[in-house]
Amino acid sequence: MVDKYKVLINGEWLDSSTGEYIKIVNPATGEIIAEAPKCGVEDVSKAVEAASHAAPAWGAMPMGERSKILLKASRLIMERQEELANLETKEQGSPIRKTMNFDVPLCAEQLEYFAGTARAITGETLPVGPWCMSSTVREPLGVVGLITPWNFPALMVIWKLGAALVTGNTCIVKPPSTAPLTTLKLGEIFVEAGVPAGVLNIITGPGNIVGEALVTNPKVAKIGFTGDTVTGKRIMQLASDTVKQVGLELGGKNAFVVLEDAKIDSAVEGAVFGAFFNSGQVCAAASRFYIHESLYDEFAKKFVAAAKKLKYGDTMNMETVIGPVAYEAHRNYVESCVEKAKKAGAKLLLGGKRPNTADTKNGFFVAPTIFGDCTNDMDIMQEEIFGPVVALARFKTNEEALKLTNDTRFGLSASVWTENIRSGINMANQIKAGTVWINDHLIIFCETPWGGCKESGWGKDLSTMVFDEYTKLKHIYIDLIEQPEKPWYGILK
Ligand code: NAD
């Protein structure tokens, strides 16, 4: 018998109205580790009612009080670091080395950041005098729906939930169906930290049922979504009926551009991290590499040699750095991308096969895979793979590199590697993406805004800019002189 989880609605832990469950599989071993409720539309309605009921009191609570609750949650997360890391590793497949040292501590740090910076949210006084005064205030939106992906289950929910809660919104979280357990565990932590009943509700279940019921519910003021571009488009369409605000953090196909004067060893190190961190299941993963023709051969050789050393296998072993991809159907999709690339004429430099060692054979592993001699018309250079599979191409001039980089429907991130800071900045200015790193790839801080353009979505997570996403700006006008004859009244006289 595996553990059966419950969902959080109005401060109570409940079974779903359908009585059905989703099986949660450890992608490293193929074993079923738990079951989560398969909620339906009725559960969404209950959660929305609870969140609507709780919204006025939570929104009226002083910012400092909400901030203290977040700080307590942050502390509790670190107290339960091992438990959370174990759970995330088992449900998502990220090695324990990463979940212990990266995901869980970052969740705690992120909450501290929101708790501190939200207290500095201010309005403005606007120069409209002398007979009146105008000011702006920021108010909570009300009930918000937060729909999150499976690639960093805990961190993605904390990015949204921390910002939404501290600014006074009540929340309904819909975690990913393949990895909802850490989110439910975080729910316990927020309740223990003092979040009142109805303020945080977590419902698990299929995206096309639970997710869509949230998106179409007229009492939900906003949907904060991170996930696939196709799902984001569907959410935009559905949200239009109630003119609902949507924040969309979607897919990417991120360029890694190595200019002629780059330090090749640093670029190779950045390439390994950018491409293979979290098995490449990162929206901002480096996935198409443009390398100056004079460096191409050396870069390719060193990149392949470095990627070959990455240790994959048992995700509970602290030495393992690469885990499986998150579920079987996704492994099959990644493998189909590899086959397509081979057929399109890309040259396989590394990987391309399913590893078959004792500790990988039952899991959904894909060996780090590098293709060379790629061109922009190949699917491998245009479609998001979301796995440890990357493509290398050559360029001759910076102008050509820029053209190739911008030749994509996505606009999430890119990196430029160069010792000439002028070239780096000029290129960064012209790349159409939400983030451009110079001499690094995949570095994201609490303090820096995150979000893309084009089909990578819009809106920002992180930084203090996220507070604009979860508040509405109200203008308040105050008449300062009792003057029966206001100048503009004359228009009607
Ligand atoms: P997904 O779109 O399949 O699922 C994301 C969430 O949406 C899940 O909770 C899912 O159940 C729900 N969902 C699915 N269909 C829905 C529908 N019709 N209506 C409402 N909700 C629905 O994405 P995924 O496979 O979980 O995540 C991978 C994707 O997320 C990749 O494309 C990746 O690039 C993207 N991502 C983007 C960022 C970013 O910041 N831009 C960060 C992480 C992941």
Side-chain angles (χ1 to χ4, degrees):
M1 269 292 275
V2 294
D3 283 349
K4 276 191 156 72
Y5 280 65
K6 290 181 187 277
V7 291
L8 177 63
I9 301 178
N10 205 18
E12 288 183 89
W13 291 96
L14 305 172
D15 295 322
S16 71
S17 61
T18 65
E20 293 175 51
Y21 287 88
I22 308 167
K23 291 186 182 357
I24 309 301
V25 175
N26 179 341
T29 62
E31 286 164 337
I32 296 169
I33 53 163
E35 293 186 353
K38 188 174 182 182
C39 291
V41 173
E42 206 181 300
D43 303 292
V44 175
S45 304
K46 266 203 271 181
V48 172
E49 283 316 308
S52 304
H53 186 73
W58 180 249
M61 186 187 271
M63 183 70 86
E65 294 303 308
R66 292 194 298 257
S67 161
K68 274 183 207 149
I69 293 176
L70 256 65
L71 286 173
K72 184 159 180 206
S74 165
R75 228 176 25 250
L76 292 172
I77 285 173
M78 286 315 285
E79 279 173 21
R80 292 168 71 172
Q81 180 179 12
E82 213 172 313
E83 180 192 357
L84 288 165
N86 270 314
L87 196 56
E88 178 127 319
T89 290
K90 285 190 178 143
E91 70 169 340
Q92 195 269 348
S94 259
I96 191 78
R97 177 190 182 95
K98 168 179 161 287
T99 52
M100 268 299 275
N101 298 313
F102 173 83
D103 298 87
V104 178
L106 264 185
C107 285
E109 185 188 337
Q110 188 64 60
L111 288 182
E112 280 175 18
Y113 173 82
F114 286 141
T117 52
R119 298 189 70 170
I121 294 176
T122 57
E124 288 181 331
T125 305
L126 306 163
V128 291
W131 52 80
C132 60
M133 197 179 133
S134 264
S135 64
T136 57
V137 288
R138 290 222 161 256
E139 294 181 341
L141 299 174
V143 178
V144 301
L146 308 174
I147 304 178
T148 55
W150 49 258
N151 61 335
F152 295 91
L155 203 52
M156 290 299 105
V157 75
I158 289 291
W159 277 17
K160 296 188 190 305
L161 186 60
L165 283 180
V166 80
T167 45
N169 300 285
T170 55
C171 303
I172 297 148
V173 177
K174 200 320 250 163
S177 305
T178 54
L181 307 180
T182 339
T183 305
L184 292 167
K185 205 45 87 183
L186 286 168
E188 284 177 20
I189 286 177
F190 277 97
V191 169
E192 192 183 335
V195 168
V199 168
L200 168 60
N201 306 275
I202 305 173
I203 32 182
T204 52
N208 61 350
I209 298 172
V210 170
E212 294 201 5
L214 254 184
V215 176
T216 49
N217 191 303
K219 289 190 179 168
V220 175
K222 174 182 175 127
I223 294 292
F225 173 75
T226 296
D228 193 72
T229 294
V230 174
T231 319
K233 289 179 184 177
R234 170 90 181 136
I235 287 176
M236 254 180 97
Q237 279 172 351
L238 293 174
S240 70
D241 253 3
T242 46
V243 197
K244 206 184 279 346
Q245 218 175 300
V246 289
L248 301 174
E249 300 290 349
L250 309 177
K253 188 73 191 172
N254 312 285
F256 186 106
V257 185
V258 185
L259 301 187
E260 192 175 6
D261 62 356
K263 274 199 176 156
I264 207 155
D265 291 338
S266 311
V268 166
E269 223 174 302
V272 172
F273 183 73
F276 299 121
F277 180 63
N278 207 28
S279 298
Q281 302 168 117
V282 186
C283 52
S287 59
R288 45 191 184 113
F289 288 70
Y290 300 107
I291 301 137
H292 189 270
E293 58 177 2
S294 64
L295 304 182
Y296 181 93
D297 290 338
E298 188 186 351
F299 179 91
K301 196 167 146 224
K302 288 184 165 170
F303 186 25
V304 166
K308 231 184 217 167
K309 289 192 196 139
L310 294 169
K311 183 173 160 34
Y312 51 85
D314 178 6
T315 50
M316 296 308 286
N317 180 341
M318 265 294 175
E319 302 299 309
T320 300
V321 298
I322 305 239
V325 298
Y327 53 94
E328 190 170 13
H330 187 51
R331 194 254 312 261
N332 297 343
Y333 166 72
V334 174
E335 287 181 342
S336 75
C337 295
V338 169
E339 289 314 309
K340 252 199 220 169
K342 285 184 194 162
K343 280 203 189 101
K347 185 175 168 193
L348 186 63
L349 304 177
L350 179 71
K353 273 192 280 192
R354 198 179 279 194
N356 195 19
T357 57
D359 54 2
T360 59
K361 68 179 190 320
N362 296 322
F364 314 131
F365 285 83
V366 177
T369 297
I370 302 176
F371 281 100
D373 294 347
C374 299
T375 50
N376 255 27
D377 55 353
M378 294 177 181
D379 282 354
I380 195 171
M381 297 296 268
Q382 295 294 337
E383 296 307 319
E384 185 179 41
I385 298 174
F386 222 57
V389 177
V390 301
L392 314 187
R394 296 176 176 80
F395 69 86
K396 287 189 171 65
T397 64
N398 287 6
E399 291 68 33
E400 186 192 358
L402 182 63
K403 198 162 161 239
L404 292 167
T405 298
N406 282 335
D407 172 27
T408 168
R409 65 191 170 96
F410 295 107
L412 190 58
S413 71
S415 63
V416 181
W417 295 76
T418 175
E419 286 303 288
N420 181 337
I421 197 61
R422 249 191 213 155
S423 308
I425 291 177
N426 280 327
M427 196 158 271
N429 283 339
Q430 293 174 81
I431 291 175
K432 294 183 174 59
T435 293
V436 181
W437 295 283
I438 298 174
N439 293 329
D440 215 327
H441 196 107
L442 260 200
I443 180 86
I444 299 175
F445 297 97
C446 302
E447 293 83 355
T448 52
W450 182 252
C453 58
K454 295 161 76 178
E455 290 195 27
S456 294
W458 68 53
K460 295 292 173 199
D461 275 325
L462 304 181
S463 83
T464 52
M465 285 180 200
V466 73
F467 298 136
D468 295 347
E469 307 280 332
Y470 288 99
T471 54
K472 53 181 183 275
L473 192 68
K474 181 183 272 177
H475 164 220
I476 298 179
Y477 169 93
I478 311 146
D479 175 51
L480 291 178
I481 49 169
E482 202 167 349
Q483 187 188 349
E485 292 296 315
K486 304 276 165 70
W488 50 91
Y489 287 177
I491 294 168
L492 289 187
K493 287 186 180 164

